[in-house]
Amino acid sequence: MRAIRAAALDIFTHKGFAAARLEDVASAAGVGKGTIYLYFRSKQDLLEAIVARTIGATLAEVEQAVAASPLPAGELLRLAGGAIAQGVQDPERRRVLHLVLCEGARFPQIAEFYHREIISHGMAMIRSIISRGQASGEFVSDEPGRFPQLVFAPALVAVIWSVVFARIEPLDARAMLDAHFDLLIRALTRRPA
């Protein structure tokens, strides 16, 4: 399964999801096409398995850690930020996100799956952290709870930048995301004058 997923990610990112054929994936993985169907019902199912394995599993771990942690909300937000930064730096996860960004508009089922399995979970986690911070009095603003996209936006910028502009102007994604979360936490904890 690991070889099939790796070959599929290579084929999907190089040829595009529409042009990718399971025969190509089987050949790249060194298996017969029928072997793929032992594990995956379709090309869509294979892509969903790649997303679940590369991003979903990590997200589930972070969700569990956040839910069980007694840390203050600011530290939980920083923990989530560290996971986001690690995901952006991981070449495989970055390729998966880039694939979803490129193919999601043409294949709504890809966008729907990614939103349902990844985005909605990440947004719920951010909302719970912000609510926790407001309930404890640590956070004075609820904007990231209302718009959790603000928390994730720099990660998308980092992924797009790495694909389009990195050869022209490299970006230290980890440092940028650390700076983003520092600014965000300061803004959330700043008391009005």
Side-chain angles (χ1 to χ4, degrees):
M1 280 181 57
R2 187 177 310 137
I4 293 169
R5 283 192 307 264
L9 183 56
D10 285 343
I11 299 294
F12 293 166
T13 55
H14 288 100
K15 289 190 171 191
F17 188 72
R21 298 176 320 136
L22 289 180
E23 293 87 359
D24 299 330
V25 173
S27 177
V31 300
K33 182 180 173 186
T35 303
I36 292 176
Y37 289 108
L38 294 174
Y39 302 104
F40 308 102
R41 296 181 310 271
S42 64
K43 188 166 61 167
Q44 175 75 26
D45 187 44
L46 178 51
L47 177 59
E48 290 175 4
I50 291 168
V51 169
R53 179 77 172 161
T54 58
I55 298 175
T58 302
L59 177 58
E61 289 174 11
V62 175
E63 285 179 294
Q64 291 172 358
V66 165
S69 178
L71 291 172
E75 291 303 311
L76 294 177
L77 201 53
R78 201 172 298 285
L79 175 74
I84 292 168
Q86 185 178 8
V88 167
Q89 289 178 305
D90 181 88
E92 187 178 35
R93 290 184 197 140
R94 190 172 54 233
R95 287 173 64 207
V96 170
L97 182 53
H98 181 253
L99 179 64
V100 170
L101 290 172
C102 289
E103 301 288 359
R106 292 186 326 144
F107 297 95
Q109 66 274 24
I110 292 174
E112 290 165 9
F113 172 81
Y114 196 84
H115 188 275
R116 181 180 64 248
E117 299 299 324
I118 306 299
I119 300 293
S120 66
H121 288 268
M123 288 176 35
M125 179 180 64
I126 296 302
R127 285 184 175 119
S128 73
I129 292 170
I130 300 303
S131 293
R132 199 163 159 178
Q134 285 194 286
S136 70
E138 183 181 354
F139 292 163
V140 297
S141 172
D142 71 338
E143 279 95 351
R146 290 185 295 129
F147 303 105
Q149 296 88 342
L150 292 169
V151 176
F152 297 110
L156 293 175
V157 168
V159 169
I160 293 166
W161 195 277
S162 73
V163 172
V164 179
F165 302 115
R167 289 181 302 266
I168 301 164
E169 183 178 340
L171 173 68
D172 183 344
R174 179 64 192 228
M176 182 189 76
L177 288 163
D178 286 346
H180 168 69
F181 280 93
D182 286 345
L183 289 168
L184 182 61
I185 291 167
R186 278 198 305 271
L188 286 169
T189 57
R190 179 167 289 143
R191 302 287 176 224

mmCIF file with all atom_site columns, all heavy atoms in Angstrom, residues 51-74:
data_model
loop_
_atom_site.group_PDB
_atom_site.id
_atom_site.type_symbol
_atom_site.label_atom_id
_atom_site.label_alt_id
_atom_site.label_comp_id
_atom_site.label_asym_id
_atom_site.label_entity_id
_atom_site.label_seq_id
_atom_site.pdbx_PDB_ins_code
_atom_site.Cartn_x
_atom_site.Cartn_y
_atom_site.Cartn_z
_atom_site.occupancy
_atom_site.B_iso_or_equiv
_atom_site.pdbx_formal_charge
_atom_site.auth_seq_id
_atom_site.auth_comp_id
_atom_site.auth_asym_id
_atom_site.auth_atom_id
_atom_site.pdbx_PDB_model_num
ATOM 1   N N   . VAL A 1 51 ? -4.425  11.483 1.304  1.00 0.00 ? 51 VAL A N   1
ATOM 2   C CA  . VAL A 1 51 ? -4.721  12.625 2.178  1.00 0.00 ? 51 VAL A CA  1
ATOM 3   C C   . VAL A 1 51 ? -4.847  12.162 3.630  1.00 0.00 ? 51 VAL A C   1
ATOM 4   O O   . VAL A 1 51 ? -4.277  12.764 4.542  1.00 0.00 ? 51 VAL A O   1
ATOM 5   C CB  . VAL A 1 51 ? -6.002  13.351 1.715  1.00 0.00 ? 51 VAL A CB  1
ATOM 6   C CG1 . VAL A 1 51 ? -6.470  14.362 2.766  1.00 0.00 ? 51 VAL A CG1 1
ATOM 7   C CG2 . VAL A 1 51 ? -5.769  14.044 0.377  1.00 0.00 ? 51 VAL A CG2 1
ATOM 8   N N   . ALA A 1 52 ? -5.591  11.091 3.847  1.00 0.00 ? 52 ALA A N   1
ATOM 9   C CA  . ALA A 1 52 ? -5.810  10.590 5.210  1.00 0.00 ? 52 ALA A CA  1
ATOM 10  C C   . ALA A 1 52 ? -4.495  10.185 5.864  1.00 0.00 ? 52 ALA A C   1
ATOM 11  O O   . ALA A 1 52 ? -4.269  10.468 7.048  1.00 0.00 ? 52 ALA A O   1
ATOM 12  C CB  . ALA A 1 52 ? -6.779  9.415  5.187  1.00 0.00 ? 52 ALA A CB  1
ATOM 13  N N   . ARG A 1 53 ? -3.639  9.548  5.107  1.00 0.00 ? 53 ARG A N   1
ATOM 14  C CA  . ARG A 1 53 ? -2.374  9.055  5.659  1.00 0.00 ? 53 ARG A CA  1
ATOM 15  C C   . ARG A 1 53 ? -1.377  10.182 5.908  1.00 0.00 ? 53 ARG A C   1
ATOM 16  O O   . ARG A 1 53 ? -0.696  10.211 6.933  1.00 0.00 ? 53 ARG A O   1
ATOM 17  C CB  . ARG A 1 53 ? -1.780  8.020  4.700  1.00 0.00 ? 53 ARG A CB  1
ATOM 18  C CG  . ARG A 1 53 ? -0.478  7.457  5.125  1.00 0.00 ? 53 ARG A CG  1
ATOM 19  C CD  . ARG A 1 53 ? -0.670  6.451  6.195  1.00 0.00 ? 53 ARG A CD  1
ATOM 20  N NE  . ARG A 1 53 ? 0.606   5.803  6.451  1.00 0.00 ? 53 ARG A NE  1
ATOM 21  C CZ  . ARG A 1 53 ? 0.866   5.142  7.546  1.00 0.00 ? 53 ARG A CZ  1
ATOM 22  N NH1 . ARG A 1 53 ? -0.045  5.008  8.448  1.00 0.00 ? 53 ARG A NH1 1
ATOM 23  N NH2 . ARG A 1 53 ? 2.027   4.597  7.730  1.00 0.00 ? 53 ARG A NH2 1
ATOM 24  N N   . THR A 1 54 ? -1.264  11.119 4.967  1.00 0.00 ? 54 THR A N   1
ATOM 25  C CA  . THR A 1 54 ? -0.224  12.146 5.083  1.00 0.00 ? 54 THR A CA  1
ATOM 26  C C   . THR A 1 54 ? -0.630  13.327 5.944  1.00 0.00 ? 54 THR A C   1
ATOM 27  O O   . THR A 1 54 ? 0.210   13.895 6.638  1.00 0.00 ? 54 THR A O   1
ATOM 28  C CB  . THR A 1 54 ? 0.201   12.679 3.698  1.00 0.00 ? 54 THR A CB  1
ATOM 29  O OG1 . THR A 1 54 ? -0.938  13.193 3.036  1.00 0.00 ? 54 THR A OG1 1
ATOM 30  C CG2 . THR A 1 54 ? 0.866   11.620 2.860  1.00 0.00 ? 54 THR A CG2 1
ATOM 31  N N   . ILE A 1 55 ? -1.904  13.699 5.922  1.00 0.00 ? 55 ILE A N   1
ATOM 32  C CA  . ILE A 1 55 ? -2.339  14.884 6.657  1.00 0.00 ? 55 ILE A CA  1
ATOM 33  C C   . ILE A 1 55 ? -3.334  14.532 7.757  1.00 0.00 ? 55 ILE A C   1
ATOM 34  O O   . ILE A 1 55 ? -3.217  15.010 8.874  1.00 0.00 ? 55 ILE A O   1
ATOM 35  C CB  . ILE A 1 55 ? -2.929  15.934 5.688  1.00 0.00 ? 55 ILE A CB  1
ATOM 36  C CG1 . ILE A 1 55 ? -1.841  16.376 4.701  1.00 0.00 ? 55 ILE A CG1 1
ATOM 37  C CG2 . ILE A 1 55 ? -3.478  17.134 6.448  1.00 0.00 ? 55 ILE A CG2 1
ATOM 38  C CD1 . ILE A 1 55 ? -2.303  17.304 3.611  1.00 0.00 ? 55 ILE A CD1 1
ATOM 39  N N   . GLY A 1 56 ? -4.288  13.691 7.442  1.00 0.00 ? 56 GLY A N   1
ATOM 40  C CA  . GLY A 1 56 ? -5.344  13.357 8.407  1.00 0.00 ? 56 GLY A CA  1
ATOM 41  C C   . GLY A 1 56 ? -4.824  12.725 9.686  1.00 0.00 ? 56 GLY A C   1
ATOM 42  O O   . GLY A 1 56 ? -5.273  13.063 10.788 1.00 0.00 ? 56 GLY A O   1
ATOM 43  N N   . ALA A 1 57 ? -3.877  11.819 9.569  1.00 0.00 ? 57 ALA A N   1
ATOM 44  C CA  . ALA A 1 57 ? -3.343  11.138 10.759 1.00 0.00 ? 57 ALA A CA  1
ATOM 45  C C   . ALA A 1 57 ? -2.647  12.126 11.690 1.00 0.00 ? 57 ALA A C   1
ATOM 46  O O   . ALA A 1 57 ? -2.825  12.079 12.918 1.00 0.00 ? 57 ALA A O   1
ATOM 47  C CB  . ALA A 1 57 ? -2.388  10.021 10.339 1.00 0.00 ? 57 ALA A CB  1
ATOM 48  N N   . THR A 1 58 ? -1.865  13.035 11.118 1.00 0.00 ? 58 THR A N   1
ATOM 49  C CA  . THR A 1 58 ? -1.178  14.041 11.928 1.00 0.00 ? 58 THR A CA  1
ATOM 50  C C   . THR A 1 58 ? -2.176  14.985 12.583 1.00 0.00 ? 58 THR A C   1
ATOM 51  O O   . THR A 1 58 ? -2.043  15.329 13.766 1.00 0.00 ? 58 THR A O   1
ATOM 52  C CB  . THR A 1 58 ? -0.184  14.836 11.061 1.00 0.00 ? 58 THR A CB  1
ATOM 53  O OG1 . THR A 1 58 ? 0.748   13.918 10.485 1.00 0.00 ? 58 THR A OG1 1
ATOM 54  C CG2 . THR A 1 58 ? 0.558   15.871 11.881 1.00 0.00 ? 58 THR A CG2 1
ATOM 55  N N   . LEU A 1 59 ? -3.169  15.407 11.819 1.00 0.00 ? 59 LEU A N   1
ATOM 56  C CA  . LEU A 1 59 ? -4.195  16.293 12.359 1.00 0.00 ? 59 LEU A CA  1
ATOM 57  C C   . LEU A 1 59 ? -4.917  15.634 13.533 1.00 0.00 ? 59 LEU A C   1
ATOM 58  O O   . LEU A 1 59 ? -5.156  16.269 14.561 1.00 0.00 ? 59 LEU A O   1
ATOM 59  C CB  . LEU A 1 59 ? -5.192  16.690 11.268 1.00 0.00 ? 59 LEU A CB  1
ATOM 60  C CG  . LEU A 1 59 ? -6.365  17.555 11.703 1.00 0.00 ? 59 LEU A CG  1
ATOM 61  C CD1 . LEU A 1 59 ? -5.901  18.861 12.338 1.00 0.00 ? 59 LEU A CD1 1
ATOM 62  C CD2 . LEU A 1 59 ? -7.279  17.831 10.517 1.00 0.00 ? 59 LEU A CD2 1
ATOM 63  N N   . ALA A 1 60 ? -5.235  14.362 13.411 1.00 0.00 ? 60 ALA A N   1
ATOM 64  C CA  . ALA A 1 60 ? -5.911  13.641 14.500 1.00 0.00 ? 60 ALA A CA  1
ATOM 65  C C   . ALA A 1 60 ? -5.051  13.622 15.763 1.00 0.00 ? 60 ALA A C   1
ATOM 66  O O   . ALA A 1 60 ? -5.554  13.799 16.877 1.00 0.00 ? 60 ALA A O   1
ATOM 67  C CB  . ALA A 1 60 ? -6.258  12.222 14.060 1.00 0.00 ? 60 ALA A CB  1
ATOM 68  N N   . GLU A 1 61 ? -3.755  13.442 15.603 1.00 0.00 ? 61 GLU A N   1
ATOM 69  C CA  . GLU A 1 61 ? -2.845  13.456 16.760 1.00 0.00 ? 61 GLU A CA  1
ATOM 70  C C   . GLU A 1 61 ? -2.840  14.828 17.433 1.00 0.00 ? 61 GLU A C   1
ATOM 71  O O   . GLU A 1 61 ? -2.876  14.918 18.665 1.00 0.00 ? 61 GLU A O   1
ATOM 72  C CB  . GLU A 1 61 ? -1.426  13.091 16.325 1.00 0.00 ? 61 GLU A CB  1
ATOM 73  C CG  . GLU A 1 61 ? -1.244  11.653 15.935 1.00 0.00 ? 61 GLU A CG  1
ATOM 74  C CD  . GLU A 1 61 ? 0.151   11.374 15.384 1.00 0.00 ? 61 GLU A CD  1
ATOM 75  O OE1 . GLU A 1 61 ? 1.050   12.243 15.488 1.00 0.00 ? 61 GLU A OE1 1
ATOM 76  O OE2 . GLU A 1 61 ? 0.337   10.281 14.826 1.00 0.00 ? 61 GLU A OE2 1
ATOM 77  N N   . VAL A 1 62 ? -2.787  15.882 16.628 1.00 0.00 ? 62 VAL A N   1
ATOM 78  C CA  . VAL A 1 62 ? -2.777  17.240 17.185 1.00 0.00 ? 62 VAL A CA  1
ATOM 79  C C   . VAL A 1 62 ? -4.112  17.526 17.870 1.00 0.00 ? 62 VAL A C   1
ATOM 80  O O   . VAL A 1 62 ? -4.135  18.097 18.972 1.00 0.00 ? 62 VAL A O   1
ATOM 81  C CB  . VAL A 1 62 ? -2.470  18.284 16.089 1.00 0.00 ? 62 VAL A CB  1
ATOM 82  C CG1 . VAL A 1 62 ? -2.578  19.705 16.641 1.00 0.00 ? 62 VAL A CG1 1
ATOM 83  C CG2 . VAL A 1 62 ? -1.092  18.055 15.504 1.00 0.00 ? 62 VAL A CG2 1
ATOM 84  N N   . GLU A 1 63 ? -5.221  17.125 17.257 1.00 0.00 ? 63 GLU A N   1
ATOM 85  C CA  . GLU A 1 63 ? -6.545  17.320 17.875 1.00 0.00 ? 63 GLU A CA  1
ATOM 86  C C   . GLU A 1 63 ? -6.608  16.651 19.246 1.00 0.00 ? 63 GLU A C   1
ATOM 87  O O   . GLU A 1 63 ? -7.096  17.243 20.211 1.00 0.00 ? 63 GLU A O   1
ATOM 88  C CB  . GLU A 1 63 ? -7.645  16.728 16.989 1.00 0.00 ? 63 GLU A CB  1
ATOM 89  C CG  . GLU A 1 63 ? -7.983  17.529 15.768 1.00 0.00 ? 63 GLU A CG  1
ATOM 90  C CD  . GLU A 1 63 ? -9.061  16.847 14.950 1.00 0.00 ? 63 GLU A CD  1
ATOM 91  O OE1 . GLU A 1 63 ? -8.801  15.746 14.410 1.00 0.00 ? 63 GLU A OE1 1
ATOM 92  O OE2 . GLU A 1 63 ? -10.167 17.406 14.854 1.00 0.00 ? 63 GLU A OE2 1
ATOM 93  N N   . GLN A 1 64 ? -6.113  15.423 19.334 1.00 0.00 ? 64 GLN A N   1
ATOM 94  C CA  . GLN A 1 64 ? -6.127  14.692 20.609 1.00 0.00 ? 64 GLN A CA  1
ATOM 95  C C   . GLN A 1 64 ? -5.239  15.374 21.639 1.00 0.00 ? 64 GLN A C   1
ATOM 96  O O   . GLN A 1 64 ? -5.612  15.502 22.806 1.00 0.00 ? 64 GLN A O   1
ATOM 97  C CB  . GLN A 1 64 ? -5.686  13.247 20.395 1.00 0.00 ? 64 GLN A CB  1
ATOM 98  C CG  . GLN A 1 64 ? -6.691  12.421 19.621 1.00 0.00 ? 64 GLN A CG  1
ATOM 99  C CD  . GLN A 1 64 ? -6.154  11.043 19.249 1.00 0.00 ? 64 GLN A CD  1
ATOM 100 O OE1 . GLN A 1 64 ? -5.012  10.696 19.534 1.00 0.00 ? 64 GLN A OE1 1
ATOM 101 N NE2 . GLN A 1 64 ? -6.995  10.257 18.589 1.00 0.00 ? 64 GLN A NE2 1
ATOM 102 N N   . ALA A 1 65 ? -4.068  15.823 21.206 1.00 0.00 ? 65 ALA A N   1
ATOM 103 C CA  . ALA A 1 65 ? -3.149  16.499 22.125 1.00 0.00 ? 65 ALA A CA  1
ATOM 104 C C   . ALA A 1 65 ? -3.759  17.787 22.658 1.00 0.00 ? 65 ALA A C   1
ATOM 105 O O   . ALA A 1 65 ? -3.675  18.077 23.855 1.00 0.00 ? 65 ALA A O   1
ATOM 106 C CB  . ALA A 1 65 ? -1.815  16.786 21.436 1.00 0.00 ? 65 ALA A CB  1
ATOM 107 N N   . VAL A 1 66 ? -4.391  18.555 21.783 1.00 0.00 ? 66 VAL A N   1
ATOM 108 C CA  . VAL A 1 66 ? -5.024  19.811 22.196 1.00 0.00 ? 66 VAL A CA  1
ATOM 109 C C   . VAL A 1 66 ? -6.171  19.538 23.157 1.00 0.00 ? 66 VAL A C   1
ATOM 110 O O   . VAL A 1 66 ? -6.304  20.182 24.197 1.00 0.00 ? 66 VAL A O   1
ATOM 111 C CB  . VAL A 1 66 ? -5.496  20.616 20.960 1.00 0.00 ? 66 VAL A CB  1
ATOM 112 C CG1 . VAL A 1 66 ? -6.466  21.720 21.346 1.00 0.00 ? 66 VAL A CG1 1
ATOM 113 C CG2 . VAL A 1 66 ? -4.293  21.197 20.222 1.00 0.00 ? 66 VAL A CG2 1
ATOM 114 N N   . ALA A 1 67 ? -7.018  18.571 22.830 1.00 0.00 ? 67 ALA A N   1
ATOM 115 C CA  . ALA A 1 67 ? -8.185  18.265 23.663 1.00 0.00 ? 67 ALA A CA  1
ATOM 116 C C   . ALA A 1 67 ? -7.777  17.802 25.064 1.00 0.00 ? 67 ALA A C   1
ATOM 117 O O   . ALA A 1 67 ? -8.456  18.117 26.043 1.00 0.00 ? 67 ALA A O   1
ATOM 118 C CB  . ALA A 1 67 ? -9.057  17.208 22.991 1.00 0.00 ? 67 ALA A CB  1
ATOM 119 N N   . ALA A 1 68 ? -6.671  17.074 25.159 1.00 0.00 ? 68 ALA A N   1
ATOM 120 C CA  . ALA A 1 68 ? -6.254  16.513 26.448 1.00 0.00 ? 68 ALA A CA  1
ATOM 121 C C   . ALA A 1 68 ? -5.321  17.425 27.240 1.00 0.00 ? 68 ALA A C   1
ATOM 122 O O   . ALA A 1 68 ? -5.052  17.166 28.413 1.00 0.00 ? 68 ALA A O   1
ATOM 123 C CB  . ALA A 1 68 ? -5.561  15.169 26.216 1.00 0.00 ? 68 ALA A CB  1
ATOM 124 N N   . SER A 1 69 ? -4.858  18.497 26.637 1.00 0.00 ? 69 SER A N   1
ATOM 125 C CA  . SER A 1 69 ? -3.824  19.317 27.267 1.00 0.00 ? 69 SER A CA  1
ATOM 126 C C   . SER A 1 69 ? -4.392  20.326 28.268 1.00 0.00 ? 69 SER A C   1
ATOM 127 O O   . SER A 1 69 ? -5.390  20.989 28.004 1.00 0.00 ? 69 SER A O   1
ATOM 128 C CB  . SER A 1 69 ? -3.052  20.080 26.195 1.00 0.00 ? 69 SER A CB  1
ATOM 129 O OG  . SER A 1 69 ? -2.087  20.910 26.810 1.00 0.00 ? 69 SER A OG  1
ATOM 130 N N   . PRO A 1 70 ? -3.699  20.483 29.398 1.00 0.00 ? 70 PRO A N   1
ATOM 131 C CA  . PRO A 1 70 ? -4.084  21.507 30.361 1.00 0.00 ? 70 PRO A CA  1
ATOM 132 C C   . PRO A 1 70 ? -3.397  22.860 30.095 1.00 0.00 ? 70 PRO A C   1
ATOM 133 O O   . PRO A 1 70 ? -3.565  23.806 30.863 1.00 0.00 ? 70 PRO A O   1
ATOM 134 C CB  . PRO A 1 70 ? -3.602  20.922 31.692 1.00 0.00 ? 70 PRO A CB  1
ATOM 135 C CG  . PRO A 1 70 ? -2.371  20.149 31.319 1.00 0.00 ? 70 PRO A CG  1
ATOM 136 C CD  . PRO A 1 70 ? -2.663  19.586 29.935 1.00 0.00 ? 70 PRO A CD  1
ATOM 137 N N   . LEU A 1 71 ? -2.623  22.952 29.013 1.00 0.00 ? 71 LEU A N   1
ATOM 138 C CA  . LEU A 1 71 ? -1.877  24.172 28.713 1.00 0.00 ? 71 LEU A CA  1
ATOM 139 C C   . LEU A 1 71 ? -2.815  25.354 28.477 1.00 0.00 ? 71 LEU A C   1
ATOM 140 O O   . LEU A 1 71 ? -3.958  25.171 28.049 1.00 0.00 ? 71 LEU A O   1
ATOM 141 C CB  . LEU A 1 71 ? -1.011  23.974 27.466 1.00 0.00 ? 71 LEU A CB  1
ATOM 142 C CG  . LEU A 1 71 ? 0.174   23.027 27.594 1.00 0.00 ? 71 LEU A CG  1
ATOM 143 C CD1 . LEU A 1 71 ? 0.818   22.794 26.229 1.00 0.00 ? 71 LEU A CD1 1
ATOM 144 C CD2 . LEU A 1 71 ? 1.194   23.580 28.583 1.00 0.00 ? 71 LEU A CD2 1
ATOM 145 N N   . PRO A 1 72 ? -2.326  26.571 28.702 1.00 0.00 ? 72 PRO A N   1
ATOM 146 C CA  . PRO A 1 72 ? -3.119  27.757 28.371 1.00 0.00 ? 72 PRO A CA  1
ATOM 147 C C   . PRO A 1 72 ? -3.395  27.806 26.862 1.00 0.00 ? 72 PRO A C   1
ATOM 148 O O   . PRO A 1 72 ? -2.658  27.231 26.059 1.00 0.00 ? 72 PRO A O   1
ATOM 149 C CB  . PRO A 1 72 ? -2.238  28.928 28.798 1.00 0.00 ? 72 PRO A CB  1
ATOM 150 C CG  . PRO A 1 72 ? -1.131  28.353 29.602 1.00 0.00 ? 72 PRO A CG  1
ATOM 151 C CD  . PRO A 1 72 ? -1.031  26.905 29.288 1.00 0.00 ? 72 PRO A CD  1
ATOM 152 N N   . ALA A 1 73 ? -4.429  28.525 26.494 1.00 0.00 ? 73 ALA A N   1
ATOM 153 C CA  . ALA A 1 73 ? -4.857  28.585 25.102 1.00 0.00 ? 73 ALA A CA  1
ATOM 154 C C   . ALA A 1 73 ? -3.762  29.109 24.176 1.00 0.00 ? 73 ALA A C   1
ATOM 155 O O   . ALA A 1 73 ? -3.619  28.638 23.048 1.00 0.00 ? 73 ALA A O   1
ATOM 156 C CB  . ALA A 1 73 ? -6.113  29.438 24.980 1.00 0.00 ? 73 ALA A CB  1
ATOM 157 N N   . GLY A 1 74 ? -2.982  30.079 24.630 1.00 0.00 ? 74 GLY A N   1
ATOM 158 C CA  . GLY A 1 74 ? -1.898  30.604 23.807 1.00 0.00 ? 74 GLY A CA  1
ATOM 159 C C   . GLY A 1 74 ? -0.882  29.525 23.453 1.00 0.00 ? 74 GLY A C   1
ATOM 160 O O   . GLY A 1 74 ? -0.404  29.456 22.322 1.00 0.00 ? 74 GLY A O   1
#
